[in-house]
Amino acid sequence: MVIETGDKAELRAHLRRLQEARVDESMIRIDTLCRRPVQQSTYQLSRFVPNPSHESGNEQRRTGYRYVGPADLKTLIRPGGEGHSVRSPTDFDEWASLREAEEWAEPFTFVVDGTGTLRLASRRSEHVTCAGGKKVLSAGEISFQHESGKWTVAEVSNQSTGYCPDGSSWPAVAEALDRVGVSRPSGFTHEVVFRRCSSCQQINIVREADFVCAFCNEVLPQDWNVDRLGP
């Protein structure tokens, strides 16, 4: 859904923006939600979008995502300062045993590095330092819970404004978690959609399928395009 409003002028303005962007009108839907009194009726403008697992995202999953965040954060990279490598159930148990009680109160920073290895660090860590500045197969935030004698993923997202991975990077995360024996969901519990504006080049987080740049109001591409420089 693009917008819900009771203001016809606002509805027309958003519809005009989509038409100016030459969005296929067959992919646009307007619903009227009738309420009583009639003055409380609203309009919903929706735009159908394809599945986010596009071919371009799948290609990035195979080749890896490189760092696209602020350049000054790269100065934080230090030899040996990468996130803790977790390659097996034993590795995970050892890592978990070293965590202080307060650390479990918030998600951890994670990356899946180019070898498919899960790397974990505190949430206050930057993804680029967790990855040692190298390409990743995915990145985000993850939290765990221990119940019935086993570890389970409570929440996991691709929230990383340094690497901006596509939702199609999930299989790399799933494989890394399966390797270390941690039960997991079937996908990201919170999937973030990143797009770079073709006009102003700013990176956007797309919310509620509203593919419009928050910086210059241009329509954003449907396919993942954050790494504009390519491999």
Side-chain angles (χ1 to χ4, degrees):
M1 185 176 70
V2 176
I3 187 176
E4 179 176 336
T5 179
D7 186 339
K8 285 187 177 181
E10 185 178 11
L11 174 70
R12 286 194 292 267
H14 278 269
L15 180 59
R16 191 181 310 112
R17 180 186 297 166
L18 293 176
Q19 291 171 335
E20 289 173 350
R22 298 184 179 180
V23 173
D24 184 350
E25 292 189 9
S26 68
M27 303 295 283
I28 299 173
R29 172 174 170 172
I30 300 176
D31 295 297
T32 302
L33 306 181
C34 298
R35 296 187 174 93
R36 294 185 179 180
V38 68
Q39 290 83 357
Q40 294 183 4
S41 295
T42 59
Y43 308 94
Q44 284 186 349
L45 175 62
S46 303
R47 175 184 178 185
F48 293 98
V49 296
N51 190 296
S53 299
H54 298 293
E55 183 177 340
S56 59
N58 290 330
E59 178 63 23
Q60 287 299 135
R61 178 167 62 84
R62 289 191 292 269
T63 63
Y65 298 84
R66 64 179 172 184
Y67 181 69
V68 294
D72 59 334
L73 292 182
K74 284 189 171 184
T75 63
L76 301 176
I77 300 172
R78 298 286 185 275
E82 301 89 348
H84 190 97
S85 295
V86 182
R87 298 184 175 88
S88 67
T90 299
D91 286 346
F92 186 88
D93 288 340
E94 291 178 353
W95 171 82
S97 69
L98 296 174
R99 307 278 66 82
E100 300 292 339
E102 59 270 18
E103 292 185 75
W104 298 103
E106 58 183 10
F108 295 93
T109 290
F110 84 86
V111 301
V112 178
D113 68 19
T115 69
T117 298
L118 179 67
R119 290 184 176 271
L120 297 167
S122 71
R123 190 181 189 183
R124 290 172 291 278
S125 302
E126 298 291 340
H127 285 96
V128 68
T129 58
C130 186
K134 298 179 180 179
K135 280 188 174 184
V136 301
L137 300 182
S138 190
E141 296 184 346
I142 190 168
S143 59
F144 304 97
Q145 57 189 17
H146 193 255
E147 54 184 15
S148 302
K150 65 178 182 179
W151 287 102
T152 302
V153 172
E155 295 182 340
V156 57
S157 76
N158 60 321
Q159 176 68 58
S160 168
T161 54
Y163 286 97
C164 302
D166 189 59
S168 62
S169 67
W170 168 253
V173 182
E175 291 170 12
L177 290 169
D178 290 345
R179 192 176 301 118
V180 302
V182 176
S183 298
R184 57 169 176 81
S186 59
F188 290 116
T189 57
H190 175 60
E191 183 175 322
V192 182
V193 178
F194 297 100
R195 294 291 186 273
R196 185 185 292 278
C197 178
S198 301
S199 180
C200 70
Q201 299 300 313
Q202 294 293 324
I203 296 175
N204 287 252
I205 292 179
V206 177
R207 304 182 191 280
E208 298 182 352
D210 186 11
F211 283 77
V212 176
C213 179
F215 302 92
C216 70
N217 289 325
E218 288 292 322
V219 175
L220 297 170
Q222 292 293 313
D223 293 343
W224 187 94
N225 69 332
V226 175
D227 189 355
R228 62 175 186 256
L229 300 178

